[in-house]
């Protein structure tokens, strides 16, 4: 028998007045790293808030560790750490004081709280900035403090809402390493992001939300396979693009051609890999200067999946 | 389902220290100091323009001024900004996602804010008392202590009760400042100062009852409000204010369980 899911949602819905945040979400999340993907406004933050009891569902329910999430179900937070997408706001607090305050809310005495605060600051590489006030920190440092507060009690479940926003590349890498290490210890991490490659860097297991609904769930390569069956657009720039276009049409590799306003050539294809091989061969002559695959971006993946499910 | 037994006391103490520090550091203390300065300015003006029995003005003006004006505004300025900051900006998300009941950090916030309010409440009673006492021919120490000490005690009870009202409003409503103006000034000072049956429902009447007993001062701020002909006694006043505060704590507890944190 498989282990029960860490997170279990059934018919989970939340409206903000007339606006739909999440609608009829059925979802099970098991230990490991799960990427929660979706463009802005897709319902990622709403789902995180529902899982932490910050907001109540309009319909349906969410369970974490088998317990129904409710505002008074505070015992769950002994096992769960949450890094909100919002900023910290405790602007005039020093990093160590902010974290010690939150550690005290977990039951630590004053001394224990400071010790624990230093421990997590060390984990996110900010121990040398322990006495820096939050309002004197860069966006990236504030993000790391947010992650640190989620780690305070070494939780079994870590919910991170857009933790990499505003981080410099080195901080991103160290945060992603931290997430990987965390998961390697048998913990569950839900990493919400609207950037595909951030999630890809740590997991292949994703949940995709779109307009508050579950769009796709599973391994990223399976989802990519689905995407690969859909028409995709490649935009190239170079010399003598008209002769390029004629050759590609003759070989039946493209389903449509358009010249963009910038003088580039947009190619629609259902056979991306052969097309890329052909372009590489043509490009050896030096006539091809640039190539962009537009649907590498998350929004395009979503557009394709939405088209698939429509 | 049983809840894990996380100690609540460290949470209350930590939030209390946070609120206390926040209210007394930087610009946080300025609004309260400004409110506390008003009775002192009134005392200075009274000394400049009045020569006979300056300390008599303490009962005539300073005591009612503190009860009508200082308590409600100081309660608002102390309690509402910190609650607004936590709830409206989403900072409460960091606080309530901890293994303690939601009432624990709120109790800490109330405790710290109330303690931070006390020094300014004392100042608003003490400074005018000193100015008026030393500007006349001198008064009996016993009378001075009774008036000033009595007013400090009334302000403490008033700050606690009105603070409980503000705690509830700050947790319950996004427009807490408007509600607070309506409740503390409208229902408190105005309704409590006007004749009629409604007056008995206002906490203000019971604060004036305490002032009558503890400072030997009636609501004599003539021209604005009608004096209470039969002010309530100490026991009745403390009972009403105590039960009222408990009721607002209970409402705050209900509100904190119901309110979404966005």
């Amino acid at each position: 028998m498989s282990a029960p899911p860490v997170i279990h949602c059934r018919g989970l819905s939340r409206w903000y007045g007339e606006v739909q945040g999440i609608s009829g979400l059925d979802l099970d999340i098991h230990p490991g790293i799960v990427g929660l993907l979706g463009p802005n406004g897709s319902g990622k933050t709403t789902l995180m808030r529902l899982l932490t009891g910050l907001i109540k569902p309009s319909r349906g329910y969410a369970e974490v560790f088998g317990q129904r999430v409710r505002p008074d179900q505070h015992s769950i937070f002994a096992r769960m750490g949450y890094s909100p997408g919002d900023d910290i706001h405790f602007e005039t607090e020093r990093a160590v004081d902010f974290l010690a305050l939150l550690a005290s809310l977990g039951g630590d005495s004053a001394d224990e709280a400071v010790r624990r605060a230093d421990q997590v600051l060390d984990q996110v590489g900010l121990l040398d900035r322990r006495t820096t006030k939050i309002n004197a920190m860069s966006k990236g440092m504030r993000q790391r403090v947010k992650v640190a507060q989620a780690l305070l009690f070494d939780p079994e479940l870590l919910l991170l809402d857009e933790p990499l926003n505003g981080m410099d590349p080195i901080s991103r890498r160290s945060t992603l390493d931290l997430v990987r290490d965390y998961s390697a210890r048998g913990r569950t991490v839900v990493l919400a992001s609207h950037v595909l490659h951030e999630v890809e860097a740590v997991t292949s297991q994703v949940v995709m939300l779109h307009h508050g609904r579950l769009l796709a769930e599973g391994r990223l390569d399976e989802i990519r396979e689905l995407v690969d069956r859909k028409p995709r657009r490649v935009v190239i720039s170079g010399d003598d693009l008209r002769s390029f276009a004629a050759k590609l049409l003759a070989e039946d590799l493209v389903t449509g051609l358009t010249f963009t306003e910038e003088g580039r050539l947009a190619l629609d294809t259902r056979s991306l890999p052969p097309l890329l091989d052909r372009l590489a061969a043509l490009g050896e002559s030096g006539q091809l200067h640039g190539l962009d695959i537009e649907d590498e971006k998350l929004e395009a993946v979503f557009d394709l999946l939405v088209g698939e499910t429509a | 389902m049983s809840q894990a037994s996380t100690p609540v006391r460290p949470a209350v103490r930590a939030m209390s220290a946070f609120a206390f520090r926040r209210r007394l550091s930087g610009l946080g203390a300025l609004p309260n100091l400004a409110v506390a300065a008003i009775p002192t300015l009134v005392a200075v003006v009274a000394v400049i323009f009045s020569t006979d029995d300056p300390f008599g003005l303490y009962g005539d003006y300073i005591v009612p001024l503190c009860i009508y004006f200082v308590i409600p505004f100081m309660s608002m300025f102390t309690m509402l900004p910190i609650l607004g900051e936590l709830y409206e900006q989403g900072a409460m998300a960091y606080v309530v996602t901890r293994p303690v009941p939601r009432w624990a950090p709120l109790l800490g916030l109330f405790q710290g804010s109330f303690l931070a309010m006390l020094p300014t409440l004392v100042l608003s009673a003490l400074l005018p008392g000193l100015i008026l006492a030393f500007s006349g021919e001198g008064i009996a120490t016993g009378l001075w202590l009774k008036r000033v000490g009595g007013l400090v005690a009334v302000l403490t009870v008033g700050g606690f009760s009105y603070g409980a009202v503000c705690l509830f409003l700050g947790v319950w409503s996004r427009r807490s400042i408007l509600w607070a103006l309506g409740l503390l000034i409208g229902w408190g000072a105005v309704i409590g100062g006007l004749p009629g049956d409604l007056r008995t429902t206002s906490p203000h009447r019971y604060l004036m009852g305490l002032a009558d007993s503890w400072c030997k001062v009636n609501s004599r701020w003539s021209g604005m409000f009608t004096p209470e002909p039969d002010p309530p006694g100490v026991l009745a006043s403390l009972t009403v204010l105590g039960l009222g505060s408990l009721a607002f704590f209970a409402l705050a507890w209900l509100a904190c369980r119901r309110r979404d944190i966005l």
Side-chain angles (χ1 to χ4, degrees):
Chain A
M1 184 186 284
S2 65
V6 177
I7 294 171
H8 171 74
C9 305
R10 285 296 173 269
L12 188 64
S13 306
R14 169 69 196 211
W15 291 275
Y16 302 99
E18 297 290 308
V19 180
Q20 173 188 280
I22 285 283
S23 181
L25 189 70
D26 292 339
L27 181 66
D28 287 332
I29 291 179
H30 293 270
I33 307 175
V34 175
L36 185 59
L37 282 165
N40 291 332
S42 59
K44 302 185 300 292
T45 297
T46 296
L47 177 57
M48 291 272 189
R49 286 173 175 162
L50 285 164
L51 292 175
T52 48
L54 294 175
I55 58 175
K56 294 177 289 298
S58 308
R59 197 177 295 162
Y61 66 89
E63 288 179 357
V64 176
F65 300 120
Q67 293 183 46
R68 189 71 62 96
V69 178
R70 294 191 310 259
D72 57 353
Q73 194 67 3
H74 54 269
S75 62
I76 287 177
F77 294 112
R79 304 170 68 187
M80 183 201 298
Y82 170 52
S83 171
D86 295 320
D87 209 346
I88 294 180
H89 301 301
F90 289 78
E91 294 292 321
T92 55
E93 296 294 300
R94 302 182 311 169
V96 66
D97 294 336
F98 169 64
L99 294 168
L101 168 68
L102 300 183
S104 297
L105 291 175
D108 274 357
S109 68
D111 290 343
E112 284 170 346
V114 171
R115 188 182 48 76
R116 199 184 292 273
D118 283 340
Q119 210 169 27
V120 290
L121 279 169
D122 193 26
Q123 273 182 276
V124 298
L126 282 177
L127 189 57
D128 57 335
R129 308 304 292 266
R130 66 191 293 279
T131 55
T132 305
K133 286 190 175 179
I134 302 287
N135 59 11
M137 289 184 159
S138 67
K139 171 82 176 166
M141 289 163 73
R142 294 157 79 103
Q143 289 290 83
R144 283 194 275 166
V145 172
K146 276 167 52 176
V147 172
Q149 62 82 30
L151 295 172
L152 272 171
F153 288 92
D154 197 20
E156 295 162 56
L157 168 63
L158 204 51
L159 301 176
L160 305 175
D161 192 354
E162 303 274 5
L164 305 176
N165 272 2
M167 278 191 188
D168 58 83
I170 295 170
S171 303
R172 274 168 191 262
R173 199 186 316 140
S174 63
T175 304
L176 291 174
D177 286 346
L178 192 145
V179 166
R180 263 188 229 101
D181 293 347
Y182 215 77
S183 164
R185 289 161 52 205
R187 308 296 166 99
T188 306
V189 183
V190 179
L191 176 68
S193 176
H194 64 278
V195 182
L196 186 57
H197 71 82
E198 283 179 358
V199 172
E200 269 186 308
V202 287
T203 185
S204 61
Q205 201 66 31
V206 296
V207 170
M208 290 183 150
L209 297 179
H210 190 71
H211 291 317
R213 292 177 182 277
L214 182 65
L215 186 61
E217 181 188 6
R219 294 183 57 81
L220 199 54
D221 49 4
E222 292 167 356
I223 292 167
R224 275 197 179 284
E225 205 172 286
L226 184 66
V227 171
D228 285 342
R229 292 204 299 269
K230 302 298 292 180
R232 301 178 72 178
R233 172 165 283 201
V234 178
V235 183
I236 57 174
S237 57
D239 304 326
D240 198 15
L241 291 177
R242 286 187 184 281
S243 68
F244 257 36
K247 285 176 189 168
L248 292 170
L249 275 174
E251 293 173 28
D252 205 20
L253 284 172
V254 295
T255 56
L257 289 166
T258 322
F259 279 95
T260 66
E261 286 179 1
E262 301 84 36
R264 303 174 79 202
L265 179 60
L267 310 168
D268 296 320
T269 181
R270 287 178 185 273
S271 322
L272 185 65
L275 174 67
L276 292 178
D277 290 344
R278 188 72 185 104
L279 287 174
L282 289 170
E284 281 174 9
S285 63
Q287 288 175 292
L288 197 61
H289 299 161
L291 182 150
D292 290 313
I293 305 170
E294 286 193 343
D295 53 9
E296 280 297 293
K297 292 174 183 161
L298 183 62
E299 286 74 9
V301 174
F302 274 90
D303 289 344
L304 290 166
L305 287 172
V306 171
E308 173 81 8
T309 54
Chain B
M1 187 171 287
S2 66
Q3 302 275 308
S5 56
T6 301
V8 165
R9 195 173 292 173
V12 175
R13 197 182 300 130
M15 278 313 275
S16 174
F18 166 72
F20 186 82
R21 197 168 63 236
R22 198 57 165 253
R23 294 319 312 157
L24 288 185
S25 64
L27 300 176
L30 274 186
N32 276 2
L33 285 174
V35 173
I38 289 172
T40 306
L41 289 176
V42 170
V44 170
V45 171
V47 166
I48 293 170
F49 293 104
S50 174
T51 50
D52 56 334
D53 187 21
F55 193 68
L57 297 174
Y58 192 82
D60 288 341
Y61 289 101
I62 303 301
V63 172
L65 179 66
C66 284
I67 294 174
Y68 280 99
F69 180 81
V70 170
I71 295 178
F73 278 100
M74 216 176 265
S75 303
M76 279 191 266
F77 290 158
T78 306
M79 296 287 170
L80 296 182
I82 198 160
L83 286 166
E85 186 182 315
L86 289 172
Y87 273 100
E88 303 308 326
Q89 295 181 356
M92 205 63 180
Y94 294 93
V95 174
V96 299
T97 50
R98 306 289 150 192
V100 284
R102 287 191 178 186
W103 60 259
L106 280 182
L107 184 63
L109 279 176
F110 176 83
Q111 181 181 300
S113 302
F114 176 67
L115 291 175
M117 180 165 52
L118 282 182
T120 42
L121 282 174
V122 170
L123 276 182
S124 60
L126 187 65
L127 287 180
L130 289 172
I131 290 167
L132 293 171
F134 288 108
S135 59
E137 293 176 356
I139 57 158
T141 309
L143 176 64
W144 188 89
L145 282 176
K146 191 165 186 61
R147 284 267 161 93
V148 176
L151 181 57
V152 168
V154 175
L155 293 181
T156 304
V157 174
F160 187 88
S161 300
Y162 280 22
V165 176
C166 288
L167 179 74
F168 161 64
L169 294 176
V171 176
W172 173 67
S173 173
R174 291 173 178 275
R175 297 184 179 86
S176 56
I177 190 77
L178 294 177
W179 281 104
L181 283 171
L183 276 177
L184 303 193
I185 305 298
W187 174 55
V190 177
I191 299 290
L194 293 173
D197 291 342
L198 269 181
R199 185 179 218 176
T200 56
T201 70
S202 169
H204 180 82
R205 173 174 183 260
Y206 300 93
L207 290 175
M208 289 308 294
L210 291 179
D212 183 66
S213 301
W214 289 347
C215 314
K216 297 295 172 210
V217 168
N218 292 308
S219 57
R220 283 180 292 179
W221 206 11
S222 52
M224 280 193 73
F225 298 106
T226 310
E228 169 71 61
D230 183 22
V234 172
L235 187 61
S237 297
L238 287 178
T239 304
V240 169
L241 292 168
L243 290 177
S245 302
L246 280 179
F248 278 101
F249 283 136
L251 286 171
W253 173 69
L254 285 175
C256 79
R257 289 157 53 99
R258 296 180 62 88
R259 183 167 180 181
D260 284 339
I261 296 163
L262 297 171

